[in-house]
Every structure is written in structure tokens, then in C-alpha cells.
Amino acid sequence: MASAPVSGTAPESPSSARLKGLTLEEMKAMARKLRRHVITMLGAAGSGHPGGSLSAAEILTVLYFKEMRYNAADPNWPERDRFVLSKGHAAPILYAALAESGYFPVEELSTLRKLGSRLQGHADRTLTPGVEMSSGSLGQGLSFSIGVALAARLDSRPYRIYVLLGDGECQEGQVWEAAMAAAHFKLDNVVAFVDHNGLQLDGRTRDIMNIEPLSDKWRAFGWHVFEVDGHDLAELSKALEKARGVKVQPSVIIAHTVKGKGVSFMENNVEYHGKVPSGEDLERALKELA
Amino acid sequence: MPVEMSTREAYGRALVELGRTNDKVVVLDADLSRSTMTSYFAKEFPQRFFQCGLAEQNMMSIAAGLAASGKTAFASTFAVFAAGRCFDQLRMSIAQPRLNVKIVATHSGISVGEDGASHHAIEDLSLMCSLPGFTVLVPADGVEAGLAVIAAASMEGPVYIRLGRPKVCVICDVDYRFTVGKAVTMRPGKDAAIIATGIMVWEAWQAADKLAREGIECRVINMSTMKPLDEEAIVKAAAETGAIVTAEEHLEHGGLGSMVAQVVMRNRPVPMDSIALKDVYAKSGKPEELLQRYGLSARHIEEAVRGVLRRK
Ligand SMILES: Cc1ncc(C[n+]2csc(CCOP(=O)(O)OP(=O)(O)O)c2C)c(N)n1
């Protein structure tokens, strides 16, 4: 998908064209860099949600540095592919990806959650360039994506819509209302990711409210299902490539991930859903990601 | 008694107390028990705790079913989700059949802070006070929060209790008496009345303290029951002080200010002003910064009092 835009009000920016050439190794390094940004900015903010940002680093990397067409210099370019962050508490990983993609300076990341910043605690489309949807109340992103996908069809635009959900988020009834609707409308321009890290806020997803068998559920709702290792960039890329060939039904990529991935003491640790490391822990986390 | 305690911490402790003395009490939560503090109850009474997962609407109607079957059901989540996301479930499953469900919503207002607009419940009082049959309580501190929870359990019918995230100053004495439907005069005064609710009672107190040094004596009224509203206390304050300022951590529309204004307008018109959010969503920031930035601090109340006094 490194091809030039079909049409559009602005050309693709050179920076995004260059980034599309990222090799697997370069993407690996990028995922690491995004994780480092997440820890650094949350450390500076003193509050926020690290776990669910770290688990999604590879997903965001593949999307922003390989899969999606966009123009950071023109965030509203009508032909752009859309990324919708339904699990809005993972805003830090999105901000990291947007900054590295050129939507705003990397230095701005340190303003996260501070009064006057464009980087709100949860994603806010009125303030941050590149943020497609305001989120933070879980369960609404897939429905929003359907609206965007229906508009693409009405306007005969070829752009695609990618949406990231949490596995805990899949307990919201609205997710399944949306799942039903996307299949009903035969939206093959929608690709949903479930960041299946097995944890939510209060504990393990299987203890809090079991959502399994998750793949069977999506399949029963009319979706084409891919299951991948969500930290394997090659597998993620391959699934996205295959999803382009799926017609008359939406695709979902169940990404098996580890919450807190990349920082040993945060991995699979529910404490770090909404707790930020400080002091020595912060240093240790950054060292592990160096 | 510590000098500072969050109202949600007080809730968590009060629930455990209730659990020990009242076996009809059941508790529901939606993946926020470690934040709403229902986790204390869950630990001690796992059989009577129902973790509903990230599915608030489902939780509210389940609570209604439990209440219809003789249980006293406490359902908790953040205020944005409780009042906003579940409004129709509260209306249809709980308010209309007048079921014995106690919605205890934490993380209300902008003092939630850094999480930002998505998590700032600033419409919930308007929504909840609009529902016929609901009792709406807004405790000013941890002491009052504990008493409100106990009082809610001992009355029949739907109750909404609005709690906060941060630790707040304890301002009620140990012998403080809380009665549903009764405003409490925290400080006497004849020049003007400040009618406040929730964390704004402390701000009102500080404003009154400042004004007292200039010889302006403000009555500070803690309107911890927003519904049914203590009309008598309001009319008395209007008659005896001749000027009223309301203060709430909520939007101006449909909140305490408008409810007090209705009573004043009908019974005893006096100059009034209201300290509240003016038709905006706040942004991310520290709680204290936000209260300053959005006009909800003692200083703003003080200015408003001076304003109404000029119009007396
Ligand atoms: C409607 C709604 N209810 C509750 C919350 C509070 N909350 C924020 S994150 C979270 C857990 C999310 O779990 P999951 O979707 O699995 O995300 P992840 O583990 O990937 O961070 C909860 C309960 C919310 N943001 N929105």
C-alpha cells in the first residue's frame, strides 16, 4: 500500500511515504521507541494507563508505519485511512505513534495530561491532530467506525477503517450491537483489532466476565476472524494483507498480547492497568526499553 | 479520624459495615471495584457481590431484578457511566417501578482531574434530579458520605449518591447528624447565604472565612440532599440574609443553582448568583488547577457574594 493516493486535496507527505518503507527490523525498533515514549510521558504526567498502551505497541506500529495511508501534514485529507482508538485509555500509545508519524513534535508528548495540553488523558478529536474519535467511555468506537465506513461507501472513497478494542471492552453490549451492524452492512472496509491481553481493570477477563470463545462469537456475528500473536509484526502484517482480500464482510484480528509488554515487572500485572511507575521503577522500565 | 479522606473510601468502609448488619444488602460493580471501593465488600462478602464486568447497563437492570426480589441493591461505577450511559435503565428499570436500588457513583465532577472530559461527570445531577422518585445525595466529605450510605440503606426506594475521586478535607464533626432531605447549616450568618453541595461546601466555608475577616457574615448551608430539596431552609435563608450564592461542581443547567432559584423565585425573590460550570467541558489537569481555571474555587464564591451584596 505504498502507492500514491488515488485522488485527494493534498499529496502524501514525504515523511509518511518514507515511513511506509520500514522493514520488519525497523518496525521492531519503532515499537520499542513507542513503548519508551509511553513510559516517559506517563512518568512525566504522574497518572494514566500504561498496561493497555504497551500491549498495543506492535498493532499501532504496523498500522502507522506500514499499513495505513495518511498525510500528517494534512490530518483531514479525505482519502486517508482512519484509525479509531475505541479503548481511549490507551491514548499514550496513539500519541506516540502520531508524534513519530509527524502529526506533532515528539517534544509535545511531555505535556500529556497537563492543563493546556493538546494531549488529553483520553483521546480527544477536537484537540489532537490525527485523533479521529473522542473516546474514554468504552464500547463506542466500533459503532463510530461503522458510520465512517458507511460514509466511505456513500462517497465512493477507497479508504479503510481500523479500530482498536480491548478484550474487557468486548463485554459492553454496544460492541455486539456494532458487530451485528457491521456484518449486516457488509462493511469489508472495516478491520477491528481486539487487544486480547486477558486483563482488564479489576482482574483477569475470564474471572471478571468471561468473553470466550471470542473468535467463535465474532464468527457467529458474521465476521472474518484472524487470530495472531499481537507482538509478532510479521503475523500482524500478514493478517492485514489478507484482510484486504476479504470481501462483503468485516474482518477482526484477535491479537493475543501481554498487558504491560516490554517491561518485566509490568507484564501481566493488573496493578499497572492504571498505575504509573515512578522513581526507581520508572528508571528500571526505561532501562529495559533502552 | 484522618484530616483527609475520599468519599469513595468512606463508601467502601460503610458498605462493609452494612454487610455485617444487614444480610439483604447486595453489591454490584462494573469492573471498577478497585476504584469505587466496593472491593472491600467483595472481599468480605463474595457471595453477595456481583462483578458484572464492563457492562453498566446490564448491571443496572440486574440490580433492579435483585431489588424486586427483596434485596437492597447497591450498584457502583463512575458517575459518567452510572447516570449518563445507563439513563434509560435507571429510568425504566429503577425509577418508574420505584425499586430499592442505590446507585453509588464515584469520580464525579471535574476534580477527577487528569483523565479529562470523558471522565468528568458534570451532567449527572441534572439527569438524576430529573427522575421522579429518585432521592439524590451529594455528601460534602467522608464523614457525611458514610452516613449517607447508611441512611440510603435504611430507606425504601431509589437513591443516587454522588461521590468523588480525590481525598477531601473532613469538615463534618464526629457527632454530625445527617438526615435525608435536611440541609445543614455549617456556619451562621445574616449578610448572605452560600448554599453549596459536595466538595464545594469546603470552598464555601473558606470563602465565608475570608469574608468574615471583612465583617461580612455568610451563612454556609450544606445542601447534601439535592432531592427532595429542603425548601424551608432555602426560603429561610432568603428571608433572613436577603442574598444567595449557590456553589456546585456541576454544569449550571439543571443543577443546584437552578433548583434553588426555582424555590427562591416562587417564595422569596432575592439577588442570586450561581457558581457552576458554564456550558463547557473541562480539560485534563490537576483537580485544584481545574477548580481555579473553571471558576469553582473559594475565590470565585467570594467574588459572587460581593456581587449579590451590591444588588441587595
Ligand atoms: C464504559 C466504561 N466503563 C468503565 C470504564 C473504566 N475503565 C477504563 S479501562 C477499563 C478496563 C478496560 O479493559 P480492556 O478493555 O481489556 O483494556 P486493556 O486491558 O487493553 O487496557 C475500565 C473498566 C470506561 N472507561 N468506560
Side-chain angles (χ1 to χ4, degrees):
Chain A
M1 261 337 289
S3 56
V6 188
S7 67
T9 53
E12 250 182 321
S13 79
S15 76
S16 69
R18 175 178 55 78
L19 290 167
K20 279 186 208 323
L22 288 198
T23 63
L24 215 57
E25 278 313 307
E26 286 169 331
M27 278 202 287
K28 247 186 207 163
M30 181 57 79
R32 204 175 175 77
K33 197 173 196 182
L34 298 188
R35 285 197 168 92
R36 213 155 52 229
H37 285 320
V38 165
I39 297 298
T40 309
M41 76 177 107
L42 285 172
S47 69
H49 307 82
S53 269
L54 295 176
S55 59
E58 279 79 13
I59 296 172
L60 277 275
T61 300
V62 168
L63 286 175
Y64 277 90
F65 303 104
K66 178 149 196 282
E67 174 74 6
M68 294 202 307
R69 294 190 319 163
Y70 56 86
N71 179 358
D74 181 13
N76 297 322
W77 177 42
E79 302 295 336
R80 74 192 182 282
D81 288 332
R82 271 73 162 169
F83 173 70
V84 173
L85 180 70
S86 189
K87 47 171 230 173
H89 59 282
I93 190 71
L94 174 57
Y95 297 155
L98 290 173
E100 285 295 339
S101 304
Y103 280 91
F104 49 82
V106 168
E107 296 71 53
E108 198 170 333
L109 293 175
S110 63
T111 67
L112 175 74
R113 292 181 158 248
K114 295 191 175 131
L115 190 59
S117 171
R118 293 198 289 180
L119 308 181
Q120 296 290 294
H122 290 76
D124 184 333
R125 67 171 265 133
T126 67
L127 287 175
T128 319
V131 169
E132 297 286 349
M133 186 209 178
S134 295
S135 50
S137 180
L138 291 163
Q140 305 185 18
L142 189 53
S143 306
F144 179 91
S145 304
I146 292 172
V148 178
L150 289 172
R153 182 183 284 171
L154 280 176
D155 299 342
S156 307
R157 291 193 194 275
Y159 64 77
R160 292 170 70 73
I161 301 97
Y162 304 92
V163 49
L164 178 63
L165 307 165
D167 51 2
E169 184 178 13
C170 289
Q171 293 159 353
E172 288 287 355
Q174 188 179 351
V175 170
W176 300 101
E177 294 173 25
M180 204 182 316
H184 179 79
F185 292 129
K186 303 187 168 56
L187 296 175
D188 52 20
N189 50 354
V190 170
V191 179
F193 285 87
V194 178
D195 183 354
H196 200 353
N197 58 34
L199 292 181
Q200 49 193 108
L201 190 146
D202 268 343
R204 288 176 190 289
T205 303
R206 66 162 183 264
D207 299 331
I208 299 300
M209 183 56 66
N210 189 25
I211 57 171
E212 301 300 340
L214 190 58
S215 293
D216 290 349
K217 281 196 178 71
W218 286 97
R219 223 170 267 125
F221 274 75
W223 288 60
H224 191 98
V225 180
F226 299 91
E227 280 204 60
V228 303
D229 173 344
H231 300 305
D232 186 324
L233 291 155
E235 272 191 39
L236 284 165
S237 306
K238 210 159 104 203
L240 281 165
E241 210 176 292
K242 282 195 186 151
R244 286 184 177 276
V246 174
K247 297 297 168 207
V248 289
Q249 65 175 165
S251 294
V252 59
I253 300 176
I254 313 277
H256 294 277
T257 56
V258 174
K259 199 158 174 170
K261 176 78 176 176
V263 180
S264 58
F265 62 92
M266 296 170 83
E267 286 190 2
N268 254 319
N269 183 348
V270 74
E271 287 304 314
Y272 282 100
H273 168 78
K275 190 178 96 175
V276 167
S278 60
E280 269 175 39
D281 287 341
L282 180 59
E283 273 174 41
R284 214 178 116 204
L286 287 172
K287 209 179 215 167
E288 287 187 23
L289 292 169
Chain B
M1 183 63 61
V3 201
E4 282 203 324
M5 195 208 307
S6 67
T7 49
R8 60 187 169 121
E9 174 69 26
Y11 168 51
R13 295 184 197 178
L15 264 188
V16 172
E17 240 176 81
L18 271 178
R20 288 179 188 150
T21 54
N22 183 345
D23 63 7
K24 284 201 166 63
V25 169
V26 296
V27 178
L28 302 88
D29 205 299
D31 195 28
L32 283 169
S33 72
R34 297 190 310 137
S35 301
T36 62
M37 299 304 166
T38 59
S39 54
Y40 300 162
F41 184 94
K43 190 153 179 245
E44 192 155 334
F45 309 102
Q47 248 72 41
R48 285 191 274 149
F49 176 79
F50 301 102
Q51 171 62 266
C52 296
L54 255 162
E56 296 79 6
Q57 292 151 290
N58 191 38
M59 171 175 76
M60 294 306 182
S61 299
I62 293 176
L66 283 160
S69 314
K71 304 299 175 196
T72 301
F74 279 80
S76 282
T77 177
F78 290 173
V80 265
F81 310 130
R85 194 177 189 98
C86 302
F87 189 70
D88 190 41
Q89 280 74 19
L90 300 187
R91 178 179 181 274
M92 192 67 240
S93 299
I94 299 169
Q96 291 191 2
R98 297 195 174 237
L99 286 169
N100 202 23
V101 178
K102 320 299 173 184
I103 312 294
V104 185
T106 66
H107 295 62
S108 65
I110 60 174
S111 58
V112 164
E114 291 86 347
D115 272 349
S118 65
H119 283 56
H120 294 158
I122 55 176
E123 315 91 339
D124 61 321
L125 291 177
S126 169
L127 286 166
M128 296 311 301
C129 289
S130 74
L131 287 173
F134 250 94
T135 294
V136 178
L137 308 177
V138 190
D141 70 357
V143 171
E144 192 169 42
L147 296 171
V149 169
I150 306 289
S154 60
M155 63 179 275
E156 197 52 38
V159 179
Y160 179 79
I161 306 183
R162 186 194 213 220
L163 304 178
R165 180 186 76 88
K167 286 187 178 167
V168 291
C169 223
V170 172
I171 55 175
C172 300
D173 300 331
V174 268
D175 55 355
Y176 181 87
R177 292 269 302 271
F178 171 83
T179 312
V180 173
K182 283 274 167 260
V184 176
T185 301
M186 308 294 281
R187 183 181 176 117
K190 54 173 185 7
D191 297 326
I194 309 171
I195 303 180
T197 195
I199 63 165
M200 296 306 287
V201 176
W202 173 231
E203 298 296 324
W205 175 276
Q206 290 171 282
D209 215 41
K210 188 91 181 293
L211 289 161
R213 278 178 244 151
E214 298 166 27
I216 301 168
E217 297 295 339
C218 292
R219 178 177 305 183
V220 176
I221 295 174
N222 175 9
M223 195 57 79
S224 47
T225 303
M226 290 255 316
K227 200 183 177 194
L229 199 58
D230 187 345
E231 300 200 6
E232 205 183 310
I234 297 170
V235 177
K236 200 157 166 268
E240 293 175 3
T241 72
I244 291 178
V245 170
T246 60
E248 65 199 295
E249 193 195 3
H250 186 270
L251 285 171
E252 191 165 47
H253 301 288
L256 180 69
S258 47
M259 289 171 70
V260 170
Q262 271 173 17
V263 176
V264 170
M265 170 264 289
R266 218 177 275 132
N267 297 282
R268 181 92 191 197
V270 295
M272 264 196 78
D273 201 354
S274 99
I275 292 295
L277 282 165
K278 312 286 182 199
D279 206 31
V280 287
Y281 282 113
K283 305 269 189 289
S284 291
K286 292 201 179 74
E288 323 79 63
E289 285 175 344
L290 296 181
L291 294 178
Q292 289 294 340
R293 165 68 182 76
Y294 291 96
L296 302 186
S297 71
R299 177 171 59 87
H300 296 95
I301 297 174
E302 200 190 309
E303 279 162 23
V305 169
R306 290 186 212 283
V308 289
L309 286 178
R310 280 195 292 275
R311 284 156 51 205
K312 231 168 132 172

